[in-house]
Amino acid sequence: IQNEFYPNNYITMHHDATYDARDRRFKIMNYDLYLKDNKRWQLDIGQRYTYNDDNLLTTQLTYKFNPKWRAVVYDRLNIDTGVWQEQQYSLVRDLHSWEVEISYNDRKGYEDSGTTVWVIFRLKAFPSVAIDGKSSYNERKVGPGGYQN
């Protein structure tokens, strides 16, 4: 089951779910809400429920201070336990043909739990080629053949 709703240029809602007919229950349910002003900020809020596993609330706030600087705050909360599983704070500087990002990340409840600070250099012409280990809110994009992450 998958639904996407665009009431205007500032709001997008997405829902997808996997239903197990044999067990008569939803195995996975995702709800995402994307709010943006198309100029300075974007707020992404999502919930992911996985049967017999976890129930996560994820948020990401991006704020553009000016054409050269933006900040990104990413958080993931386990709703069942009340534990913040991950928090990440990033500052990004546009350097015309490339970007530099400094990030602070704190993870709890994973094998690789701990605190990490790193610097990422990203070519703007090839944004998906960045070598990094960051977490971010994964906004769904429409592509050939349907929705892709």
Side-chain angles (χ1 to χ4, degrees):
I1 303 170
Q2 185 167 313
N3 300 300
E4 194 130 349
F5 181 60
Y6 303 90
N8 58 44
N9 291 337
Y10 310 105
I11 300 172
T12 302
M13 291 178 266
H14 177 87
H15 167 261
D16 64 79
T18 303
Y19 183 78
D20 186 332
R22 187 184 59 172
D23 292 339
R24 295 183 180 169
R25 70 172 58 104
F26 285 98
K27 294 287 187 175
I28 299 171
M29 292 185 358
N30 295 299
Y31 302 95
D32 299 298
L33 174 65
Y34 309 106
L35 306 169
K36 60 185 172 183
D37 77 343
N38 291 325
K39 293 178 186 167
R40 295 192 72 111
W41 61 270
Q42 180 168 336
L43 175 64
D44 306 328
I45 303 169
Q47 180 181 3
R48 178 178 176 86
Y49 167 79
T50 307
Y51 179 75
N52 276 346
D53 190 14
D54 55 22
N55 189 4
L56 303 174
L57 177 68
T58 306
T59 63
Q60 180 170 299
L61 174 64
T62 303
Y63 185 79
K64 192 173 186 178
F65 297 107
N66 57 47
K68 300 227 181 257
W69 289 96
R70 73 179 182 276
V72 182
V73 177
Y74 169 85
D75 296 299
R76 182 173 41 226
L77 171 71
N78 186 317
I79 296 171
D80 295 331
T81 63
V83 173
W84 286 102
Q85 290 185 331
E86 186 167 10
Q87 296 179 347
Q88 182 170 304
Y89 307 93
S90 301
L91 191 58
V92 183
R93 171 73 158 98
D94 185 327
L95 298 168
H96 188 61
S97 297
W98 53 287
E99 293 179 330
V100 62
E101 176 179 335
I102 184 165
S103 294
Y104 168 86
N105 182 278
D106 185 31
R107 290 174 57 99
K108 295 180 176 98
Y110 296 96
E111 287 183 21
D112 61 344
S113 293
T115 301
T116 308
V117 176
W118 65 84
V119 177
I120 301 167
F121 294 91
R122 183 181 304 113
L123 285 172
K124 288 173 66 176
F126 305 99
S128 63
V129 179
I131 299 173
D132 61 36
K134 75 175 190 169
S135 297
S136 65
Y137 199 90
N138 189 24
E139 183 173 356
R140 297 177 187 327
K141 306 268 192 267
V142 177
Y147 296 98
Q148 300 175 347
N149 288 334

